[in-house]
Amino acid sequence: MTKVKVCAFSVSLDGYGAGPDQRKEQPLGKRGEELHEWIFPTKMFQKMYGKGEGTEGVDNDFADKSFENIGAWIMGRNMFGPIRGQWPDDEWKGWWGENPPYHVPVFVLTNHARKPISMKGGTTFHFVTDGIDSALDQARKAAGGKDIRIGGGVSTIRQFLLAGYIDEMHLAVAPVFLGSGENLFAGINLPELGFTEIQTEYGKATVHVILKKSSDLARKT
Amino acid sequence: MTKVKVCAFSVSLDGYGAGPDQRKEQPLGKRGEELHEWIFPTKMFQKMYGKGEGTEGVDNDFADKSFENIGAWIMGRNMFGPIRGQWPDDEWKGWWGENPPYHVPVFVLTNHARKPISMKGGTTFHFVTDGIDSALDQARKAAGGKDIRIGGGVSTIRQFLLAGYIDEMHLAVAPVFLGSGENLFAGINLPELGFTEIQTEYGKATVHVILKKSSDLARKT
């Protein structure tokens, strides 16, 4: 059965999934890269971006797992690119070059319609203008029984969380404080939403926490 | 020179320093004990509460360090006890029995005056009704050049943080989400207050993070 998952999503100790001032030259916002230091050296990341060998171990295992059995992705427009408002043309095709690391349909939430873009390696970007329910329906059909990964950013994950659509989350918590930016947890009560921590592992520059939602597991708060 | 420090203060991944519904039978609030699991098995804690041997290692080192060179404590009234409003009598003398683990003057912030209480082992509880500046002045005099530890709870630490009085913090972040309770970070921007993470260590059920404030270290945000 298709699960809706957040995987390998990095946040700071004060709950920020990106720093302030996100823009083309700084896609993760100010100091946002510090959240992701755990993944850069891994074999998975190095293989994906074609730079040398990379490390094995806990971080690499989680990085690998985050791409396993994913049949479709959903992401917010800011994760897809820095352009705001109307698409000026068809130039921008994501941050990831000709062959993006998804290899499945990717549904991009936006207020501005655009034709799908087929990329090398099986990734197709579909632009969804009628909200998260529609994106989820389309992703479910496209996923063919595999899981759906909600990529990010923070605002997209918050929408899916609050709508009760997320079954499982793997958060990678970096031991830094960003102080401002986009906060994943503000006003969100994970136990009340039915989530329980089922696994914790320390990585090299992060704490991996797996949360699952289940009526059995749900704490009564 | 006297430093004003927060030591061994436990918070959840979503920033809560205590769970909801704090009361006499549940001084740390609902699920609040989960934040402190790292310290219970340590040699320091076991020695302090007289139960067996206890563990050595990272957690015990941090637990020990949290009591080193402390000349005075400041704590909020909720950390001192569960009674709210006027003191009904002189019965309540803290959670810690006849010989509390402080062994120095402890300044308790309260709106309700009460005479000092001298306990066994050198701890004296002083009740300060005229605010944090007065408490800090009194603690500074009492500390005789040693450091002042701001014990907690969350609301007390927040007041000292926002006033700019804290020089150093050791937070012990437990890999759990409490969802509600008293939040240490809501609306608090640690980098903007001049704090930088200078050390991170993984314990058995926590991540120890040391933050220091310094104009040299302060990030420009």
Side-chain angles (χ1 to χ4, degrees), chain A residues 86-102:
Chain A
Q86 292 289 345
W87 303 102
D89 49 43
D90 284 337
E91 201 71 5
W92 182 265
K93 292 173 181 174
W95 303 99
W96 308 277
E98 291 190 330
N99 186 356
Y102 305 108

Side-chain angles (χ1 to χ4, degrees), chain B residues 188-209:
Chain B
I188 288 198
N189 185 325
L190 292 176
E192 206 168 85
L193 288 169
F195 286 96
T196 306
E197 313 84 29
I198 57 154
Q199 191 190 352
T200 306
E201 301 265 358
Y202 294 145
K204 212 164 158 60
T206 202
V207 184
H208 300 281
V209 185

Side-chain angles (χ1 to χ4, degrees), chain B residues 161-182:
Chain B
L161 266 177
L162 290 170
Y165 292 151
I166 293 178
D167 299 305
E168 194 176 319
M169 289 205 287
H170 160 219
L171 300 174
V173 187
V176 299
F177 290 87
L178 294 193
S180 64
E182 287 197 88

